[in-house]
Amino acid sequence: MQVLIADDHSIVRSGLTHLVGELDEQATVVAATSFSQLNAILDGAMQDGGAAFDLIVMDLRMPGLGGLEDVEALVKRVAPVPVAIFSMIEFPDEMRAVLSRGVRAFIPKSTDDVLVVNILRLVMAGGSTCRRCWACRAHRPTRLPGPRVPWPPASSTG
């Protein structure tokens, strides 16, 4: 398995490399520190005979990345190779916007490492994180058990 990891923070690249090793001990990881370096690596892979990567994991905020249009262009360029975003962003609206561009997974950096591995395993198996399950439900306040109390309470003075 060949994985391209793009993040401008070395500690994140190291951590993701370790997690990819949990997916496949024989995995080869290539790292990029910017969006332009990611594209240069892809250009080199294309010249060497085609899609060399099985998975791309990238940050959403890194040098050279102009916005969601760049993300969408990358997804189309490398298709059918899955692209997963690993980002500090945890706002559901932004997560949905990214997922709508063809990204297969949006993984907040606060996600537990075991869950990150399982999400990457799901993506490698052809799945994707569901907007409804991840971007909406995961960040919605949890309702406590028990009867629902109307708010504001009904006035007892008639």
Side-chain angles (χ1 to χ4, degrees):
M1 169 163 58
Q2 290 268 108
V3 180
L4 176 54
I5 294 174
D7 195 292
D8 54 328
H9 295 98
S10 64
I11 190 72
V12 173
R13 291 190 308 273
S14 296
L16 286 171
T17 298
H18 173 76
L19 295 178
V20 166
E22 296 207 9
L23 277 175
D24 181 350
E25 292 178 0
Q26 304 301 314
T28 302
V29 174
V30 176
T33 60
S34 67
F35 191 67
S36 57
Q37 188 178 24
L38 179 151
N39 279 305
I41 291 168
L42 290 173
D43 290 343
M46 298 285 224
Q47 289 176 353
D48 291 341
F53 297 101
D54 301 298
L55 174 65
I56 297 173
V57 182
M58 61 180 278
D59 191 4
L60 193 57
R61 303 263 162 85
M62 66 177 152
L65 182 61
L68 293 182
E69 295 78 22
D70 286 348
V71 173
E72 185 173 12
L74 174 73
V75 167
K76 288 178 180 176
R77 175 183 183 190
V78 301
V81 175
V83 176
I85 297 293
F86 191 65
S87 177
M88 288 179 44
I89 295 170
E90 295 196 31
F91 300 106
D93 289 343
E94 289 186 59
M95 295 168 79
R96 280 190 294 271
V98 171
L99 289 166
S100 74
R101 302 298 179 116
V103 169
R104 294 279 278 297
F106 192 111
I107 309 167
K109 288 183 178 175
S110 62
T111 305
D112 180 76
D113 59 343
V114 173
L115 183 54
V116 171
V117 171
N118 286 328
I119 291 169
L120 294 178
R121 187 172 286 123
L122 171 71
V123 168
M124 290 300 300
S128 64
T129 57
C130 174
R131 291 181 212 124
R132 180 178 159 96
C133 298
W134 188 252
C136 299
R137 220 181 273 160
H139 295 280
R140 202 182 297 159
T142 305
R143 185 166 122 45
L144 298 174
R148 199 157 210 189
V149 177
W151 191 259
S155 172
S156 58
T157 60

